[in-house]
Amino acid sequence: MKKRNLLIFLLLPLFCLAQTSLKIKNEKETTFPLKSLIDSTANKMVEKPLINAVSIGMVYQGQEFIGHYGELEKGKSNVPTNQTIYEIGSLSKTFTGTLVAKAVLDKKINLDDPVQKYLTEDYPNLSFNGSPVRVKDLLTHTSGLPNMIPLELTAIIKDFTNIDTPKKMNDILVNYTQKDFLRDLHTIKIDTIPGFNFSYSSAGIELLALILEKTYNKKFDVLLKEYYSKNAEMKPVQLVLSKKEEKNLAVGYHCDYPSITLPNQKLPWGAAANVKITVPEMIKYIKYQLKNNADVAESHRGLVKVNEKFSAGYCWRVLKDEKMGEIYMHHGGVPRSQCFIYILPKYNMGVFIITNQSGENTPKDMKEVLNTIFEKIQNKNLL
């Protein structure tokens, strides 16, 4: 089987007739059958051999739509619902980015602050030729830090499609603490000037959580819950579920293997990949991103131009499109689910899509759905 590195953004044999789709809160019909469009494109996705279930949440011009399709487990007709909790992987990073944006606007953190400023131990290795790793470099994946700490995780992820990859990852993380992370941080070598070369690093986002804790003198998970409960009217954002909540956690499948994959273990802080959430709560998150208040506007600001196609913001990919203007997006994935979020402020639109399968073609399958939705809306001149 072909193998490739799928970054953990960190990461029905037959069409199932069981499906639901619904519209929430706003009952006013649009002039375009958006619900029918989402239904038809999502149904095509669950016809693919490896895709079991798909959930989509979309906000468009004040309208809110949610659709659930397929079945979570093969042959069980257990359609996802609004109570289904998903692991959104690296999409969690955008939650962290907004917290840092607030801290910057509150003048509690400066983007050019050396990371060393927030560390109690001396880390002379977090610099290259006198240029220190800064907060800005962590946000934009230009720090030179590896994808994962400990380094064994980076090596395992490169063999993502191996059947043993999820278990190997969990075995490493199950007892891996924040203290272990800070110990291993001493072993990292920066081999390029920070701030220039884009190299995806979940380890850098974990370090941002520590910086936020030092800044506000609160645990990261508390900051996460307080901020989004207050500002986005979301239920407390969860990194670790209670036993009761675990009953609603979506099962998932790794690549083309038929057995259910175990849930992902928590990273030391959880800032890079551990948010667990329902689709209705993601609708609230999208609406908050579209409000474009000061915190959101700052988090969407492109800090480093990576290439002609995109810039890196506060953990967001900032894309520019001739038709749609600026687009803020992120991919998320763990070994048993993958998702995308797209925020398009110019047209007051945002969409979240997730499936409980994680393989090398899963991002392409989801992008096909999103591209179809965007293209058909454009053809109807709604954009």
Side-chain angles (χ1 to χ4, degrees):
M1 178 175 55
K2 178 182 177 182
K3 298 177 180 178
R4 59 182 276 194
N5 175 18
L6 286 180
L7 295 171
I8 293 187
F9 295 22
L10 351 186
L11 258 348
L12 307 167
L14 297 174
F15 168 57
C16 175
L17 295 178
Q19 62 169 324
T20 63
S21 65
L22 58 122
K23 179 171 55 181
I24 60 175
K25 288 192 176 179
N26 194 338
E27 295 298 326
K28 181 181 177 182
E29 292 292 337
T30 62
T31 58
F32 180 70
L34 187 59
K35 176 185 177 299
S36 298
L37 172 59
I38 294 174
D39 287 348
S40 63
T41 53
N43 284 337
K44 289 179 181 178
M45 183 173 170
V46 296
E47 288 177 334
K48 295 179 181 292
L50 296 180
I51 301 298
N52 297 304
V54 177
S55 292
I56 298 177
M58 188 168 185
V59 176
Y60 176 71
Q61 300 291 329
Q63 303 284 314
E64 303 169 25
F65 297 91
I66 290 179
H68 301 291
Y69 311 88
E71 55 186 358
L72 290 167
E73 298 175 77
K74 291 179 172 65
K76 291 197 175 181
S77 299
N78 50 347
V79 188
T81 70
N82 281 356
Q83 286 70 51
T84 301
I85 298 173
Y86 285 106
E87 298 165 278
I88 63 172
S90 286
L91 210 144
S92 308
K93 293 176 172 67
T94 65
F95 286 72
T96 304
T98 304
L99 294 182
V100 178
K102 172 179 170 51
V104 169
L105 293 180
D106 287 346
K107 299 189 184 304
K108 293 182 176 294
I109 292 176
N110 190 300
L111 288 174
D112 289 322
D113 283 344
V115 171
Q116 178 65 68
K117 175 181 177 180
Y118 300 91
L119 300 173
T120 55
E121 299 177 30
D122 188 23
Y123 288 86
N125 57 316
L126 295 183
S127 66
F128 181 80
N129 287 352
S131 297
V133 174
R134 303 164 299 169
V135 172
K136 177 181 177 181
D137 307 326
L138 300 180
L139 286 164
T140 58
H141 300 285
T142 58
S143 66
L145 288 172
N147 180 21
M148 304 291 287
I149 296 176
L151 291 175
E152 297 95 314
L153 277 176
T154 298
I156 290 170
I157 292 169
K158 288 181 179 178
D159 195 18
F160 184 80
T161 58
N162 190 302
I163 190 172
D164 295 323
T165 292
K167 183 179 184 304
K168 288 180 179 179
M169 291 175 60
N170 282 350
D171 286 348
I172 290 174
L173 287 172
V174 65
N175 294 313
Y176 193 76
T177 67
Q178 295 174 10
K179 184 177 180 180
D180 294 328
F181 180 96
L182 291 171
R183 176 201 65 213
D184 291 341
L185 186 61
H186 283 290
T187 70
I188 302 305
K189 182 179 179 181
I190 305 297
D191 59 7
T192 186
I193 297 176
F196 294 94
N197 295 329
F198 183 90
S199 182
Y200 196 80
S201 175
S202 291
I205 309 305
E206 288 293 284
L207 202 48
L208 283 173
L210 170 62
I211 291 172
L212 286 165
E213 288 187 345
K214 295 287 187 181
T215 300
Y216 288 101
N217 196 29
K218 288 184 179 182
K219 293 295 184 182
F220 174 74
D221 62 335
V222 174
L223 291 170
L224 199 66
K225 291 174 182 178
E226 289 182 348
Y227 181 85
Y228 289 102
S229 295
K230 176 182 178 181
N231 294 282
E233 299 181 349
M234 297 172 68
K235 294 178 181 178
V237 177
Q238 300 285 36
L239 300 176
V240 178
L241 300 179
S242 67
K243 290 295 182 183
K244 182 179 179 180
E245 291 166 332
E246 285 178 354
K247 295 178 181 178
N248 288 323
L249 182 64
V251 300
Y253 298 86
H254 177 53
C255 296
D256 58 354
Y257 305 113
S259 59
I260 291 173
T261 304
L262 291 172
N264 220 40
Q265 286 290 333
K266 183 175 174 289
L267 296 169
W269 284 270
N274 288 115
V275 169
K276 299 170 181 66
I277 198 167
T278 65
V279 179
E281 291 304 298
M282 284 303 299
I283 288 285
K284 295 178 185 178
Y285 186 64
I286 289 172
K287 290 171 65 179
Y288 183 62
Q289 294 298 319
L290 289 171
K291 281 185 177 179
N292 201 37
N293 65 14
D295 295 349
V296 170
E298 178 65 17
S299 73
H300 289 172
R301 185 164 64 91
L303 301 176
V304 173
K305 184 176 180 179
V306 179
N307 56 41
E308 294 302 318
K309 293 184 178 181
F310 84 92
S311 298
Y314 285 69
C315 303
W316 286 97
R317 304 289 182 94
V318 183
L319 313 176
K320 290 191 176 181
D321 181 87
E322 183 177 344
K323 175 73 174 178
M324 294 182 164
E326 284 198 337
I327 302 170
Y328 311 104
M329 63 83 63
H330 211 289
H331 169 265
V334 295
R336 63 193 222 137
S337 69
Q338 289 197 38
C339 57
F340 276 103
I341 187 171
Y342 279 76
I343 305 295
L344 301 93
K346 182 177 179 180
Y347 302 104
N348 195 21
M349 180 166 68
V351 61
F352 167 72
I353 182 172
I354 190 163
T355 179
N356 68 331
Q357 191 268 348
S358 185
E360 60 181 353
N361 292 321
T362 310
K364 178 179 69 69
D365 292 339
M366 289 189 292
K367 279 188 174 181
E368 285 177 358
V369 172
L370 296 175
N371 288 339
T372 299
I373 292 172
F374 293 156
E375 288 171 6
K376 289 194 175 183
I377 289 177
Q378 287 184 51
N379 290 339
K380 290 295 182 179
N381 297 318
L382 286 188
L383 296 187

